[in-house]
Amino acid sequence: MFDKLLAGQQSDAVPVEKALLFGALAWAVYSVCQVVLNGIVVDESVIAAQVITGAVEYPPGHPHGPYYQGIYSLFHYLAAAVWWLVPSPLLISAVQNFVYLLLSTLSVYALTLVITRNAVWSFVAGVLVVL
């Protein structure tokens, strides 16, 4: 099956669903390798998580206090939930580094796969994103 995917044969040889699963697995492995090889980049949502959970208090009048508590951001509140369970900036940042890279590559791969029905061109599109 994978030889047909990598050979770039059309959708009659390999169903799009299988090509999508193969691509998701490949880009997930790539994302893990990138985080491991390049290290964890501490994400700014760690600061938001600390403010939302009350672990860090800004002085009165500082704009970050009301901003992080009043503006809704899914990643900030997910990071706050993780901080509440396990206060680890590296864990939060590693997961977010992985998720951002996976979503950046997999979305382009999936869109190209749906349009072209060709796994090779889909991988080329994903590689162009990370270049």
Side-chain angles (χ1 to χ4, degrees), residues 64-107:
H64 279 181
Y67 173 76
Y68 285 128
Q69 291 178 346
I71 302 298
Y72 179 77
S73 170
L74 179 62
F75 280 110
H76 290 171
Y77 279 88
L78 287 175
V82 172
W83 185 269
W84 185 71
L85 295 171
V86 180
S88 170
L90 291 180
L91 173 66
I92 293 170
S93 297
V95 169
Q96 287 193 352
N97 291 173
F98 169 78
V99 168
Y100 286 142
L101 185 55
L102 178 63
L103 291 178
S104 297
T105 54
L106 185 58
S107 60

Side-chain angles (χ1 to χ4, degrees), residues 24-84:
L25 178 65
W27 287 117
V29 169
Y30 172 78
S31 299
V32 168
C33 290
Q34 279 289 34
V35 171
V36 168
L37 292 175
N38 292 329
I40 299 169
V41 177
V42 177
D43 195 75
E44 61 92 22
S45 62
V46 171
I47 297 169
Q50 293 172 336
V51 172
I52 291 168
T53 59
V56 171
E57 292 186 24
Y58 281 101
H62 195 284
H64 279 181
Y67 173 76
Y68 285 128
Q69 291 178 346
I71 302 298
Y72 179 77
S73 170
L74 179 62
F75 280 110
H76 290 171
Y77 279 88
L78 287 175
V82 172
W83 185 269
W84 185 71

Side-chain angles (χ1 to χ4, degrees), residues 1-14 116-122:
M1 174 179 82
F2 298 124
D3 57 334
K4 292 178 185 177
L5 281 174
L6 296 176
Q9 295 180 2
Q10 296 300 322
S11 64
D12 58 336
V14 177
T116 66
R117 304 275 193 236
N118 188 310
V120 172
W121 286 115
S122 302

